[in-house]
Amino acid sequence: MAYKLYYWSGIPGRGEFVRMALEEAGAAYEDISLQKGGDQLVAQFGKDPKVLHPSFAPPFLQDGEVLVGQTSAILLYLGPRLKLTPNDPAQALWVHQIQLTIADMVDEAHDVHHPIGSHKYYEDQIPEARKRAKGFRKMRIPKYLAWFETVLSRNPDGPDFLAGGKLTYADLSLFHLIEGLKYAFPNAMKSALTEVKHVPRLCKAVSNRPQIKAYLKSPRRKDFNEDGIFRHYPSLDKRKA
Amino acid sequence: MAYKLYYWSGIPGRGEFVRMALEEAGAAYEDISLQKGGDQLVAQFGKDPKVLHPSFAPPFLQDGEVLVGQTSAILLYLGPRLKLTPNDPAQALWVHQIQLTIADMVDEAHDVHHPIGSHKYYEDQIPEARKRAKGFRKMRIPKYLAWFETVLSRNPDGPDFLAGGKLTYADLSLFHLIEGLKYAFPNAMKSALTEVKHVPRLCKAVSNRPQIKAYLKSPRRKDFNEDGIFRHYPSLDKRKA
């Protein structure tokens, strides 16, 4: 039976981290965001009192009787099923820890354009967003990139993957995170990426994997835009200061 | 061999969610924050290139050969060992999903006093903090509390626990989250807690568990303060608007 992925239409969003794993594995899945009325289905789903495990927010994934929300928990569940998690439990936990750190950076990238709150439009928090963006560009991007680089350089199996000698869902997530950051902060990322070597190599290798290459060219891959997590506002990506 | 918990001294912080689980289980653990020079040890630990799984930030836990960071991943690891995770894998995943949602609210509670970034003092972002606090009090606290209440009310085993008929680490985490929010936002929480019934009942039950009761009275339990995640600044907890 095909997996069902529930997420908003029109943006890659957090759902994209799940899509990346499903696409790499060539798994059969139904993407609710592509259905007519999908957004309403996503919004209404958890309101049914028969849903015992309602998700606080999308994405959530249905696999027969199992319903699971929270991007990192979805990947924890899918990983072994899609062969994107190491068999060794300690390594699997490490992959999950990396994923949770990626998720933290995703949250921070979102909050750059919504420092005051998600209930207000970006246009109502521009001065605050500019302040937050400065710290994100100067401190947070370099700090996270340095951590990913350290993780890759310390991998005893070599720097081709974040953990072990085989692709995991964390590698796919890092690729998508970097893509999102490059879209949102092209100037800051151009500069920050010169400080690391393994991270861009991994991203390039992911983009060249046959399944991912085909997916990225397909209409299933949604473009980044200014309704999503990674938004390009030039004033948040100044060349200087 | 005793677990070693690495976290900053002087604040409950994210380390407290791990402590709650260890204390409930009566597990032997060494709390590095209580050691002289503990903070330096925490700060330096991951810099050693022999540490293959460096944590992006504390808390992290050492259990013999295993080193794990990210609060939710630490609890995922400890849960079965401390008998604070259901045996059924689908239920264990649900507990983890709840924990990740608690972690999201913890992040938001932190960002109320640091909307512009952690690299600046609260005193340098007060006007922005006031704006963010308003949305947090009016929208986010009620939304999260309603979700926890829904989770409890839909539990087929009854509303005493978030998942199943036995205590899990998520119950302990919810207790600590609510304690932190009550400390930081006494006015907002007084009002918000009148809208739910199962959440305060669960919190009271947790506080009355023998191990937890003893722990809360012990010097090992750190007080909330204005260096931590949950900070009480009266101007961020106005009675009205």
Side-chain angles (χ1 to χ4, degrees), chain A residues 5-185:
Chain A
L5 174 63
Y6 291 79
Y7 196 67
W8 307 123
S9 67
I11 57 168
R14 289 183 175 81
E16 190 63 19
F17 295 96
V18 182
R19 273 187 213 104
M20 289 291 297
L22 292 164
E23 292 283 347
E24 164 63 26
Y29 73 104
E30 197 178 326
D31 189 334
I32 302 298
S33 74
L34 302 175
Q35 282 184 16
K36 206 182 157 186
D39 283 354
Q40 211 187 331
L41 206 60
V42 170
Q44 294 299 321
F45 195 93
K47 295 191 177 158
D48 180 348
K50 288 198 293 290
V51 174
L52 300 182
H53 298 175
S55 201
F56 183 76
F60 46 93
L61 181 94
Q62 203 172 21
D63 178 22
E65 294 288 303
V66 173
L67 183 72
V68 52
Q70 282 278 0
T71 311
S72 302
I74 298 171
L75 291 169
L76 182 71
Y77 175 79
L78 283 176
R81 289 163 178 83
L82 304 180
K83 302 197 192 314
L84 290 170
T85 296
N87 290 327
D88 174 55
Q91 280 290 98
L93 186 67
W94 174 228
V95 170
H96 191 54
Q97 179 179 339
I98 297 169
Q99 182 64 44
L100 290 170
T101 307
I102 290 171
D104 283 346
M105 195 181 189
V106 171
D107 287 349
E108 292 189 32
H110 171 272
D111 281 10
V112 166
H113 52 76
H114 275 80
I116 301 305
S118 299
H119 60 296
K120 292 195 174 213
Y121 290 112
Y122 163 68
E123 286 70 21
D124 297 324
Q125 44 193 308
I126 295 178
E128 294 89 355
R130 287 190 185 185
K131 286 191 195 179
R132 180 142 185 167
K134 190 174 170 185
F136 185 72
R137 291 195 312 268
K138 295 193 121 185
M139 323 273 290
R140 305 303 285 173
I141 288 179
K143 186 172 177 179
Y144 275 105
L145 285 193
W147 185 76
F148 295 123
E149 187 76 3
T150 298
V151 168
L152 285 163
S153 66
R154 290 190 193 170
N155 183 353
D157 292 306
D160 287 352
F161 303 103
L162 287 160
K166 271 183 62 187
L167 185 86
T168 70
Y169 62 80
D171 298 312
L172 299 168
S173 292
L174 180 59
F175 163 79
H176 183 64
L177 170 67
I178 299 294
E179 285 294 292
L181 292 169
K182 278 159 61 179
Y183 173 80
F185 307 98

Side-chain angles (χ1 to χ4, degrees), chain B residues 149-189:
Chain B
E149 187 76 4
T150 298
V151 168
L152 286 163
S153 65
R154 290 189 193 170
N155 183 353
D157 292 307
D160 289 351
F161 303 105
L162 287 160
K166 271 181 62 186
L167 185 87
T168 69
Y169 62 80
D171 298 311
L172 298 168
S173 293
L174 180 59
F175 162 80
H176 183 65
L177 170 66
I178 299 293
E179 285 293 294
L181 292 169
K182 278 159 61 179
Y183 172 81
F185 307 98
N187 291 321
M189 284 301 284

Side-chain angles (χ1 to χ4, degrees), chain B residues 7-14 16 19 222-223 225 227-229:
Chain B
Y7 196 67
W8 307 123
S9 67
I11 58 167
R14 288 183 176 81
E16 191 62 18
R19 271 186 213 106
K222 294 171 169 72
D223 290 336
N225 61 56
D227 291 319
I229 293 166

